[in-house]
Amino acid sequence: MRPIVICHMLSSLDGSLHPSRFTWSPDGSKAEWSRLYEEVHEGLEPDAWLVGRVTMAEISKVGPHAPAQVGPVERPCHFAVREAECFAIALDPSGKLHFAGPKIGGDPVVVLLGRGVADSHLAELAADGVSYIVAETAKIDLAAMLDVLGHELGIHRLLLEGGAGINGSFFAAGLVNELSLLLVPALDGRGGHQGFVEAGEDGLDGDVQLSFKSCEPLAHGILHLRYIVAPR
């Protein structure tokens, strides 16, 4: 069964993605907002969380270290771990991410890769104990990837946590079931700042519809907004 996907993000009042650029507020600090975001993350009880390459590269700052000799590698899938309380998933079409070990924040890593990724990169991931799924089509089929995650790893509830491009791709593909947004009492204000969802020049008009689910005031001036998302 395909996992339920909840896009879980933290945003300024003007929609900015980057807390480091938010204005100051007497209601709470950036550290307190980030800490509460993580608490809500845990409260949503995910089986996995998924981020894009840029976001994961900020977490895993490791350089390439492919094995000196590369033997046969598994395609399209290699699963180092099949059972875990929660998985850390990265979308990395070009195979640019590297890892120091099999886990990020205690969660086993799974990487979603493009079809053209080299065997040497797959060998590196396998040697590090990292699971991977390689696309079987020229363009990564996100729905197919979700199907594999659900079928092979038993993932039922997945949090989509950015960046903006990967969020936009999932929304545009009609794969997001809910939006969970922590709105903080701050502004960015820069012209052209990056929002938490970006879907190219055509945007998402005509692709999705949002229905209000709940609004809950939290500590540090945060509002937790939740919307049901459905394709149009």
Side-chain angles (χ1 to χ4, degrees), residues 127-153:
D128 290 332
V130 172
S131 300
Y132 60 76
I133 304 169
V134 181
E136 298 187 77
T137 54
K139 182 179 178 181
I140 290 181
D141 184 335
L142 296 175
M145 289 288 190
L146 289 178
D147 288 340
V148 174
L149 291 171
H151 182 265
E152 297 290 345
L153 300 180

Side-chain angles (χ1 to χ4, degrees), residues 5 9 12 43 45 49 53 59 64 73 82 84 91-92 106 115 118 120 122 132-133 137 171 181-182 184 197-198:
V5 176
M9 298 298 294
S12 65
E45 299 182 334
W49 51 274
R53 181 190 64 80
I59 302 171
V73 296
R82 286 184 177 270
L91 181 64
D92 183 24
R115 186 172 65 179
S120 58
L122 300 183
Y132 60 76
I133 304 169
T137 54
F171 272 99
L181 181 65
L182 297 191
V184 306
V197 178
E198 291 188 357

Side-chain angles (χ1 to χ4, degrees), residues 1-8 41 44-52 85-91 110 112 133 142-143 145-150 153-162 166-167 170 175-180:
M1 180 181 293
R2 185 175 298 170
I4 293 170
V5 176
I6 301 173
C7 182
H8 178 54
H41 168 115
L44 292 171
E45 299 182 334
D47 300 306
W49 51 274
L50 189 153
V51 297
E85 185 173 330
C86 190
F87 290 91
I89 304 174
L91 181 64
V110 183
L112 310 182
I133 304 169
L142 296 175
M145 289 288 190
L146 289 178
D147 288 340
V148 174
L149 291 171
L153 300 180
I155 294 172
H156 301 293
R157 192 175 180 87
L158 181 148
L159 296 189
L160 174 64
E161 300 187 312
I166 186 175
N167 289 349
F170 271 79
L175 297 173
V176 178
N177 302 102
E178 182 179 330
L179 172 62
S180 166

Side-chain angles (χ1 to χ4, degrees), residues 19-224:
S20 62
R21 297 164 183 168
F22 292 177
T23 55
W24 177 86
S25 171
D27 292 331
S29 67
K30 295 170 186 176
E32 287 170 327
W33 295 335
S34 295
R35 190 157 51 246
L36 191 51
Y37 172 85
E38 294 299 332
E39 290 177 9
V40 175
H41 168 115
E42 294 299 327
L44 292 171
E45 299 182 334
D47 300 306
W49 51 274
L50 189 153
V51 297
R53 181 190 64 80
V54 174
T55 301
M56 184 60 83
E58 294 172 355
I59 302 171
S60 180
K61 299 175 174 150
V62 180
H65 49 278
Q69 295 185 337
V70 178
V73 296
E74 293 181 89
R75 286 179 183 262
C77 303
H78 166 75
F79 297 109
V81 176
R82 286 184 177 270
E83 294 185 4
E85 185 173 330
C86 190
F87 290 91
I89 304 174
L91 181 64
D92 183 24
S94 301
K96 295 180 179 179
L97 288 171
H98 307 276
F99 300 88
K103 295 183 178 182
I104 292 288
D107 300 329
V109 177
V110 183
V111 186
L112 310 182
L113 299 158
R115 186 172 65 179
V117 170
D119 283 357
S120 58
H121 187 67
L122 300 183
E124 177 186 311
L125 294 175
D128 290 332
V130 172
S131 300
Y132 60 76
I133 304 169
V134 181
E136 298 187 77
T137 54
K139 182 179 178 181
I140 290 181
D141 184 335
L142 296 175
M145 289 288 190
L146 289 178
D147 288 340
V148 174
L149 291 171
H151 182 265
E152 297 290 345
L153 300 180
I155 294 172
H156 301 293
R157 192 175 180 87
L158 181 148
L159 296 189
L160 174 64
E161 300 187 312
I166 186 175
N167 289 349
S169 296
F170 271 79
F171 272 99
L175 297 173
V176 178
N177 302 102
E178 182 179 330
L179 172 62
S180 166
L181 181 65
L182 297 191
L183 202 58
V184 306
L187 297 170
D188 183 321
R190 293 170 302 119
H193 66 247
Q194 187 177 45
F196 63 88
V197 178
E198 291 188 357
E201 293 183 1
D202 295 332
L204 294 171
D205 184 30
D207 292 331
V208 298
Q209 57 184 15
L210 275 63
S211 302
F212 178 77
K213 180 178 181 180
S214 65
C215 176
E216 180 184 4
L218 304 179
H220 312 304
I222 289 180
L223 286 178
H224 184 198

